Amino acid sequence: MPDRLTEVLAVLGPGAHRFADAAAWAELEAGLGMALPADFKAVVDAHAPIRINHHLYLHHPATDRWNLGKWIHETARAWADVDFDEEEWEDPEEDPRTALGLSEVTFGTAGGLIPIAGTDRGEYVFLAPLPDDDSNDSDSNGGDGDDPGLRICVVDQDVCWYEYRMSFTEWLHRYLAGEDMGGPNSSAFYPGPVDLQYLPMSRNDRPVAWSGPDR
């Protein structure tokens, strides 16, 4: 089985681990009531807060600005305010319960959808439980550091939901390779090294941009 974390870090570079902090992760996970996948935490610790290939943003739990815990809470609260029972869905993919095979949907807590990344194109990436009818299927996911009870789900700018039964690092590696990892025709591929940009950590900070290793 491929080592997806190694593959991702080979594309992004090893990272500076500027804010790696086990205590910050422990506090965030205690608030969520669940452990986050080890591969996701490894990528975030290596690089975040960062913008990847012009669109994808990763936050970090140990920073004041671009704080992952605050972003998860605010994003989950916004989605929790949507009354899915009152909406009239023109497409089944617009109702996350139908699209993801869940009898109910919650946000920001264990057993619900946890936002972990977003793009400036209006997409959100979530960790999500497996569908109700196969939540005990231990073979539905793959990849290193992944919880077999979780999958990656993406909602696009048209509020359509899509599932990817794989680890975060497999999803990220395939996203960077130009595959449609946010629904049909969602590819955001840029040839050559990955474009990376540290996000400003204060009002007077300037973004620092560079390129990942050749690929």
Side-chain angles (χ1 to χ4, degrees), residues 10-150:
V11 172
L12 299 180
H17 294 82
R18 297 176 299 159
F19 302 107
D21 185 342
W25 285 111
E27 181 179 354
L28 173 58
E29 291 173 325
L32 295 173
M34 61 176 288
L36 296 171
D39 64 335
F40 168 70
K41 294 191 289 184
V43 173
V44 168
D45 268 345
H47 287 284
I50 197 168
R51 187 188 72 180
I52 300 174
N53 254 14
H54 307 283
H55 297 295
L56 182 68
Y57 287 77
L58 295 179
H59 296 58
H60 197 285
T63 58
D64 291 329
R65 298 193 82 186
W66 311 103
N67 180 268
L68 179 61
K70 181 179 179 181
W71 181 82
I72 287 175
H73 175 73
E74 292 176 348
T75 304
R77 184 173 58 189
W79 281 103
D81 286 341
V82 178
D83 189 339
F84 294 104
D85 290 321
E86 292 296 324
E87 296 287 345
E88 294 183 4
W89 308 109
E90 296 181 3
D91 190 322
E93 292 172 338
E94 295 177 357
D95 185 342
R97 296 166 299 185
T98 301
L100 306 180
L102 299 172
S103 56
E104 63 177 354
V105 61
T106 59
F107 296 90
T109 58
L113 276 66
I114 307 292
I116 57 172
T119 78
D120 61 5
R121 307 192 309 173
E123 299 151 325
Y124 291 89
V125 182
F126 294 86
L127 294 173
L130 291 175
D132 295 333
D133 59 359
D134 62 354
S135 59
N136 294 319
D137 181 1
S138 61
D139 294 327
S140 3
N141 279 324
D144 298 278
D146 188 34
D147 181 338
L150 297 173

